[in-house]
Amino acid sequence: MLRFNKSLIIIALGASLAACGDSNNNEVVTPPTPEPVSYQFSVEVNNLTAGQPFSPVALIAHNEGNLWQIGESSSAALELMAEGGDNSELLNFASAIATSSGDAPVGPGAQTTLTVTTSSLEELKLSLATMMVNTNDGFTGLNSIDVSALTVDEALTHFTFAYDAGTEANSEAEGSIPGPADGGEGFNEARDDIDLVSMHPGVVSQQDGLSGSTLNSEHKFDNPLAKIVITRTQ
């Protein structure tokens, strides 16, 4: 009888252990949540002009579209920036996935660095724009530069040219230029020029015969206007 009871105990223990084994095999293991991946770019903007401060720079990461197109009409956002240096609407670019803005103008010979971070490299492009504030509606920048293939610590260097938003006549008249050369009104929603983006013809100035100009020879500029260094840092 004693042997029989021991056998029952052994059988019961075996069944219990088997049940425990089955329980472990059926346990659902939740995998850890992966850390989010981010990609970071540093953009250094160097003002190469002698007398044209740049408005606070707008930097936009996006995967489609352009901030401007030569031969096409400026957007209202580009007009606002190119006439008055206000980049707030440009930073609301419809295709933007990340943006950054300088917090102050960039004087002649000075430089500023902006940073932008995204969660994807797929078809990633960077654009930036800034006004030459001692003009009526002149601006410079980069348009849809592909950075999707950049590796960490790899850099691209670009030199920018002067563009005319085509929204305000280049009168150089007193009261029409927002920069320190004049302190004028800047943005005006009326468009009194060709209403097409083009290469900027340059400043004329008083010395070169534009009698009503508030600008002088120090406000003239040659291309390139800026040196831009884009570095992937993460």
Side-chain angles (χ1 to χ4, degrees):
M1 185 68 179
L2 183 59
R3 289 180 182 176
F4 178 74
N5 288 340
K6 286 183 177 179
S7 298
L8 288 177
I9 292 171
I10 291 170
I11 292 170
L13 285 172
S16 175
L17 290 172
C20 289
D22 289 343
S23 176
N24 288 337
N25 289 337
N26 294 330
E27 183 178 349
V28 177
V29 178
T30 303
T33 302
E35 291 292 326
V37 177
S38 61
Y39 307 93
Q40 190 172 84
F41 296 84
S42 170
V43 180
E44 180 183 284
V45 180
N46 299 270
N47 185 335
L48 302 180
T49 72
Q52 283 290 341
F54 294 161
S55 65
V57 178
L59 174 63
I60 301 167
H62 56 105
N63 48 31
E64 62 181 4
N66 297 285
L67 296 191
W68 69 87
Q69 194 74 40
I70 295 290
E72 295 186 4
S73 182
S74 294
S75 65
L78 182 64
E79 177 186 14
L80 181 65
M81 190 279 301
E83 291 185 13
D86 181 352
N87 66 23
S88 58
E89 291 300 318
L90 208 58
L91 293 170
N92 290 326
F93 184 59
S95 300
I97 56 178
T99 63
S100 181
S101 174
D103 55 10
V106 185
Q111 66 92 19
T112 189
T113 300
L114 292 82
T115 300
V116 69
T117 303
T118 73
S119 59
S120 173
L121 287 176
E122 186 175 358
E123 298 184 1
L124 183 63
K125 299 171 179 62
L126 293 183
S127 294
L128 66 86
T130 178
M131 179 191 184
M132 295 117 63
V133 299
N134 285 330
T135 66
N136 289 98
D137 61 344
F139 70 97
T140 191
L142 293 177
N143 206 5
S144 297
I145 301 300
D146 190 336
V147 295
S148 61
L150 278 184
T151 57
V152 174
D153 294 329
E154 187 177 5
L156 294 174
T157 299
H158 289 269
F159 292 88
T160 72
F161 298 93
Y163 299 98
D164 190 320
T167 58
E168 181 177 318
N170 295 324
S171 66
E172 303 176 17
E174 183 178 355
S176 69
I177 292 174
D182 180 34
E185 72 167 349
F187 172 70
N188 187 315
E189 64 182 10
R191 297 194 176 194
D192 61 356
D193 202 0
I194 62 172
D195 200 19
L196 298 173
V197 177
S198 63
M199 303 305 295
H200 201 287
V203 164
V204 179
S205 80
Q206 292 177 353
Q207 286 91 334
D208 283 351
L210 187 57
S211 59
S213 175
T214 191
L215 304 179
N216 56 50
S217 58
E218 73 176 274
H219 303 121
K220 289 178 173 290
F221 51 83
D222 292 315
N223 288 317
L225 270 74
K227 176 185 177 182
I228 313 294
V229 182
I230 302 170
T231 306
R232 180 178 164 190
T233 55
Q234 179 178 309

